[in-house]
Amino acid sequence: MRKAIHPSYGPVVFRDRAANHAFLTRSTMSSEKTVEWEDGNTYPVVDVEISDVSHPFYTGTARVLDTAGRVERFERRFGKRGVA
């Protein structure tokens, strides 16, 4: 690899503010803010809006859209296209 062109890759804490959940992983992201982690070390912290703890798909609160009904409604409104 070429020297001095790649970002530094190290431990970073990602904190989901909506669910009050944090996890430690490695990333190229950096931050001026730091947090003391459970192991006693201090790591940069990146605040995120959503993670697997608060995302509706992973929590089971996702709404299922009626796509078949939408297609039928579209076809009623605009008519079916014939095969050319």
Side-chain angles (χ1 to χ4, degrees), residues 18-68:
N20 196 20
H21 175 73
F23 56 94
L24 177 66
T25 187
R26 294 177 54 89
S27 177
T28 58
M29 292 188 72
S30 62
S31 175
E32 296 295 323
K33 294 187 281 184
T34 60
V35 67
E36 186 173 333
W37 191 243
E38 299 160 355
D39 62 1
N41 294 328
T42 302
Y43 299 107
V45 63
V46 176
D47 291 325
V48 294
E49 296 293 323
I50 198 161
S51 71
D52 64 328
V53 176
S54 62
H55 193 280
F57 179 79
Y58 296 108
T59 59
T61 59
R63 295 185 335 209
V64 177
L65 297 177
D66 181 23
T67 56

